[in-house]
């Protein structure tokens, strides 16, 4: 029979409390239990915080122990034994073994339990058992907290290490981006496409984190690939414009473009020059785009120095591709613009005379009524504003006459719009011959209305012009069977003479002339009335 008393508890406390780690704790506990009986075996089980499951932390027998961090799921047999021990009375004897379960509590919560098994019967004292539980709980909790702290410290150190690496990587990327920006500025100042391509290859291999570089341009319509500038196996920039081949002969480039990738990087691969393997390392294929159209690609590798691929290489090379694409697009646009300018200068020189003549004609058309060939309303408005300012400045009379063809709607209804247009043309021709003095203007006002602008004319002269206009139209003797006025086409005229008193008051002149026209029509038409 084994006695678990105060003496054993003191011995166990002296053994396990000074230990510095879980391994030493398990070894000391095993040796102490082994002093009870040589076949004593124990298990340290932990209670899961999330659920009611148990996990095994350690299995100890004498000097031998098995410590598992993190703890592992217990076997089904152990789980079944636990259930029996948790519900057992004082008799704890199963399968030819005597068991004692020591509950481990910490801070008012169940931490786990210690299960002791032996062939001999275990006689335990309740107070001694509680003391043993308290000693083991404290020591175990301390070691577990220390272990957790050590893990957190390891994670923290690992995080710090990664942070330092990331900061170094970011610093390297910023330095490379600064260099790439300087290279881009030099490319903007290149005086030709050829010079730009040579500068790009030379500057990149001397300043960026790779050894060799070559730029290829693609004709997407023919599928042909043309070399520009590249580097040989010694890192010397060479002219490779003689190189021309089909895109399908370059697997990596074709795959990158077909899959619309910006970059493809391969590590630990064979590196080529002139279709021969010259070494191993990493290489990158960077696609060049003009919108959705591929225009070429860049190849680069680390053949010479074997510089390892860095975390920022992917972003750096993508930006290199974007930068080169922009420069190629801009340079092509400039070259196309120069060619277009030369062509346009030649064409402009040939057509200058034609354009001048066309402008003259356009100016005339814009101020001329297309049907009657007399000035239109735009011309009338411009001339009226000009003559109004002159009459206002010199206080000279200014007259206008509004002429309207009598019953023109009935004429159109009876004879049709073709003869109506012919009638308008004849009337316009006749009216244009009525007043030939300098400054006088006849314009079509709209529809069947015409306007005489008579600068320097008083009321008597305006009446004279109106009467001559009436007579000129009568002499045409254009038949008008539906007119209640006369069997021929006639007109009515209303006029107004004024001496301007303030600027921009031309509208009132038209209103008064329109009132006079109304009086002429109301009096029976085929007559004139001038205010």
């Amino acid at each position: 029979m084994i006695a678990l008393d105060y003496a054993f508890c003191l011995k166990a406390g002296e053994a396990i409390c000074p230990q510095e780690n879980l391994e030493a704790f398990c070894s000391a506990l095993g040796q102490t239990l082994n002093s009870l009986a040589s076949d004593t075996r124990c298990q340290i089980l932990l209670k899961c915080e999330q659920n009611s499951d148990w996990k095994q932390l350690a299995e100890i027998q004498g000097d031998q122990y098995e410590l598992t961090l993190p703890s592992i799921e217990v076997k089904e047999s152990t789980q079944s034994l636990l259930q029996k021990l948790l519900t057992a009375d004082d008799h704890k004897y199963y399968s030819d073994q005597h068991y004692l379960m020591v509950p481990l509590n910490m801070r008012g919560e169940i931490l786990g339990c210690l299960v002791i098994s032996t062939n001999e019967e275990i006689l335990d004292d309740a107070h001694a058992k509680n003391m043993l539980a308290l000693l083991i709980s404290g020591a175990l909790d301390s070691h577990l907290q220390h272990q957790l702290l050590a893990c957190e410290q390891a994670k923290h150190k690992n995080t710090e290490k990664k942070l330092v690496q990331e900061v170094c990587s970011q610093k390297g990327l910023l330095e490379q981006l600064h260099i790439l920006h300087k290279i881009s500025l030099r490319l903007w100042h290149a005086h030709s496409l050829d010079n730009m391509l040579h500068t790009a290859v030379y500057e990149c291999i001397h300043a960026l984190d790779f050894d060799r570089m070559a730029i290829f341009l693609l004709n997407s319509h023919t599928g042909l690939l043309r070399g520009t500038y590249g580097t040989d196996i010694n890192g010397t920039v060479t002219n490779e414009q003689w190189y021309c081949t089909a895109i399908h002969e370059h697997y990596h480039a074709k795959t990158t473009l077909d899959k619309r990738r910006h970059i493809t990087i391969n590590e630990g691969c064979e590196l080529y020059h002139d279709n021969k393997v010259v070494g191993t390392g990493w290489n990158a294929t960077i696609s060049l785009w003009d919108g959705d159209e591929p225009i070429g690609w860049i190849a680069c590798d680390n053949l010479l120095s074997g510089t390892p691929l860095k975390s920022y290489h992917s972003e750096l090379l993508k930006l290199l591709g974007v930068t080169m694409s922009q420069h190629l697009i801009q340079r092509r646009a400039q070259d196309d613009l120069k060619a277009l300018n030369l062509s346009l200068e030649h064409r402009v020189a040939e057509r200058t005379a034609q354009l001048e003549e066309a402008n003259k004609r356009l100016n005339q058309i814009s101020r001329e009524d297309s049907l009657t060939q007399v000035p239109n309303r735009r011309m009338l408005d411009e001339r009226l504003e000009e003559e109004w300012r002159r009459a206002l400045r010199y206080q000279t009379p200014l007259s206008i006459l509004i002429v309207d063809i009598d019953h023109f709607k009935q004429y159109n209804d009876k004879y049709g719009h073709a003869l109506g247009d012919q009638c308008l043309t004849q009337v316009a021709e006749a009216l244009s011959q009525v007043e030939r003095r300098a400054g006088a203007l006849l314009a079509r006002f709209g529809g069947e209305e015409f306007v005489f602008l008579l600068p320097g004319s008083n009321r008597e002269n305006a009446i004279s012009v109106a009467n001559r206009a009436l007579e000129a139209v009568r002499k045409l003797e254009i038949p008008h069977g539906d007119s209640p006025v006369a069997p021929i086409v006639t007109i009515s005229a209303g006029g107004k003479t004024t001496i301007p008193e303030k600027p921009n008051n031309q509208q009132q002149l038209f209103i008064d002339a329109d009132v006079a026209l109304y009086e002429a029509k109301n009096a029976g038409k085929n007559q004139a009335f001038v205010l």
Side-chain angles (χ1 to χ4, degrees):
M1 179 179 294
I2 300 173
L4 190 64
D5 51 16
Y6 278 106
F8 175 78
C9 291
L10 292 174
K11 182 179 180 180
E14 291 176 353
I16 63 176
C17 289
Q19 306 305 322
E20 296 181 354
N21 52 54
L22 273 173
E23 290 83 356
F25 168 83
C26 292
S27 177
L29 181 60
Q31 292 176 8
T32 304
L33 292 173
N34 195 50
S35 66
L36 292 175
S38 59
D39 64 339
T40 302
R41 172 176 170 268
C42 74
Q43 291 174 281
I44 300 177
L45 305 175
L46 300 180
K47 187 72 175 292
C48 295
E49 295 181 0
Q50 296 81 3
N51 50 51
S52 58
D53 291 342
W54 293 81
K55 290 190 175 182
Q56 179 172 297
L57 174 65
E59 184 172 351
I60 308 168
Q61 186 167 9
D63 293 334
Q64 305 298 319
Y65 62 88
E66 182 180 353
L67 180 65
T68 53
L69 286 172
S71 53
I72 60 174
E73 298 286 342
V74 298
K75 300 176 182 178
E76 289 186 10
S77 58
T78 305
Q79 186 74 29
S80 176
L81 175 63
L82 273 174
Q83 296 301 322
K84 292 179 180 179
L85 293 175
L86 289 170
T87 59
D89 52 17
D90 292 338
H91 182 68
K92 303 170 184 176
Y93 179 72
Y94 307 104
S95 303
D96 300 329
Q97 288 284 311
H98 294 271
Y99 291 93
L100 174 65
M101 186 177 75
V102 180
L104 306 177
N105 299 296
M106 202 59 167
R107 294 178 290 276
E109 297 182 358
I110 298 176
L111 175 64
C113 66
L114 174 68
V115 179
I116 303 173
S117 63
T118 179
N119 291 327
E120 300 182 38
E121 183 179 353
I122 302 173
L123 180 63
D124 66 286
D125 179 270
H127 295 290
K129 180 179 175 182
N130 290 337
M131 179 181 290
L132 180 63
L134 183 61
L135 290 169
I136 294 177
S137 297
L140 179 60
D141 181 68
S142 175
H143 290 307
L144 288 175
Q145 294 297 329
H146 180 76
Q147 190 74 26
L148 181 60
L149 179 61
C151 291
E152 290 298 323
Q153 288 176 337
K155 289 181 181 179
H156 181 68
K157 289 182 179 179
N158 189 43
T159 302
E160 284 185 340
K161 182 178 179 181
K162 289 182 179 180
L163 182 60
V164 170
Q165 292 175 344
E166 184 65 23
V167 169
C168 292
S169 176
Q170 291 296 324
K171 183 178 179 181
L173 177 58
L174 287 175
E175 291 175 352
Q176 291 287 288
L177 290 179
H178 183 65
I179 294 171
L180 182 59
H181 175 66
K182 289 184 176 180
I183 294 174
S184 180
L185 293 177
R186 292 171 186 169
L187 297 182
W188 282 121
H189 294 92
H191 54 76
S192 66
L193 176 62
D194 185 80
N195 177 251
M196 185 192 76
L197 292 168
H198 180 274
T199 301
V201 174
Y202 181 85
E203 295 291 343
C204 287
I205 64 172
H206 285 87
L208 299 181
D209 280 343
F210 49 83
D211 299 337
R212 297 196 307 160
M213 172 177 168
I215 303 175
F216 300 87
L217 299 181
L218 172 67
N219 186 325
S220 58
H221 300 292
T222 62
L224 291 178
L225 197 66
R226 180 175 65 84
T228 60
Y229 287 91
T231 45
D232 60 19
I233 57 175
N234 299 314
T236 304
V237 179
T238 59
N239 189 326
E240 298 178 346
Q241 296 181 12
W242 54 268
Y243 184 77
C244 184
T245 185
I247 181 64
H248 64 77
E249 294 185 16
H250 292 265
Y251 172 77
H252 292 304
K254 187 175 186 305
T255 302
T256 302
L257 295 174
D258 288 346
K259 294 184 177 181
R260 310 190 69 80
R261 295 176 180 169
H262 289 288
I263 184 172
T264 299
I265 299 178
N266 300 296
E267 296 188 70
C269 59
E270 295 179 336
L271 304 179
Y272 288 83
H273 186 77
D274 290 339
N275 296 322
K276 296 178 181 178
V277 177
V278 292
T280 59
W282 64 262
N283 65 17
T285 302
I286 307 110
S287 56
L288 305 176
W289 298 88
D290 182 359
D292 293 331
E293 179 184 356
I295 57 176
W297 55 284
I298 299 172
C300 54
D301 61 38
N302 66 336
L303 173 67
L304 303 178
S305 65
T307 302
L309 195 66
K310 298 180 180 178
S311 59
Y312 58 75
H313 262 121
S314 178
E315 292 302 319
L316 176 67
L317 295 177
K318 283 181 184 178
L319 287 174
L320 173 62
V322 172
T323 301
M324 282 305 304
S325 295
Q326 291 175 343
H327 284 294
L328 285 171
I329 294 168
Q330 184 263 351
R331 179 59 61 178
R332 285 184 172 183
Q334 284 185 347
D335 293 344
D336 291 344
L337 184 59
K338 288 180 180 178
L340 180 61
N341 285 338
L342 291 175
S343 175
L344 287 177
E345 287 175 4
H346 180 69
R347 293 170 63 185
V348 167
E350 291 180 345
R351 296 189 181 183
T352 298
Q354 298 176 13
L355 289 174
E356 289 178 354
E357 183 63 28
N359 285 334
K360 291 179 182 179
R361 178 59 182 160
L362 180 61
N363 186 57
Q364 179 183 357
I365 291 173
S366 68
R367 290 169 170 76
E368 185 180 89
D369 180 58
S370 59
L371 175 63
T372 62
Q373 306 302 308
V374 299
N376 58 16
R377 184 168 181 173
R378 177 182 176 184
M379 181 67 170
L380 173 65
D381 291 340
E382 291 177 358
R383 285 288 302 279
L384 177 58
E385 182 178 355
E386 179 183 339
E387 295 298 340
W388 184 272
R389 290 197 303 268
R390 183 180 290 112
L392 178 66
R393 184 166 60 250
Y394 297 108
Q395 287 297 288
T396 56
L398 178 65
S399 300
I400 66 167
L401 295 172
I402 300 178
V403 176
D404 184 74
I405 300 176
D406 298 327
H407 300 289
F408 188 68
K409 180 179 183 303
Q410 289 84 345
Y411 185 92
N412 268 335
D413 292 343
K414 180 175 179 64
Y415 299 103
H417 288 282
L419 286 180
D421 289 347
Q422 184 178 337
C423 173
L424 286 171
T425 302
Q426 290 178 282
V427 169
E429 175 64 24
L431 294 177
S432 65
Q433 302 300 318
V434 169
E435 182 60 41
R436 309 289 291 178
R437 287 190 303 174
L441 175 74
L442 172 73
R444 186 180 178 188
F445 194 64
E448 66 271 21
E449 287 187 333
F450 296 86
V451 172
F452 281 100
L453 175 62
L454 305 170
S457 295
N458 55 24
R459 181 172 181 272
E460 288 73 19
N461 186 63
I463 294 173
S464 175
V465 173
N467 288 330
R468 292 202 308 273
L470 292 171
E471 186 60 29
V473 173
R474 294 190 195 106
K475 284 182 179 181
L476 294 175
E477 296 183 348
I478 302 172
H480 191 344
D482 282 358
S483 174
V485 177
I488 59 175
V489 170
T490 61
I491 60 173
S492 297
K496 170 68 177 178
T497 298
T498 188
I499 296 176
E501 296 179 354
K502 56 183 179 179
N504 302 320
N505 198 33
Q506 302 94 308
Q507 188 63 30
Q508 187 60 45
L509 185 62
F510 271 100
I511 293 173
D512 294 342
D514 196 55
V515 170
L517 176 62
Y518 176 80
E519 292 293 336
K521 285 185 173 291
N522 197 43
K525 300 184 176 64
N526 193 21
Q527 57 186 285
F529 186 83
V530 180
L531 295 174

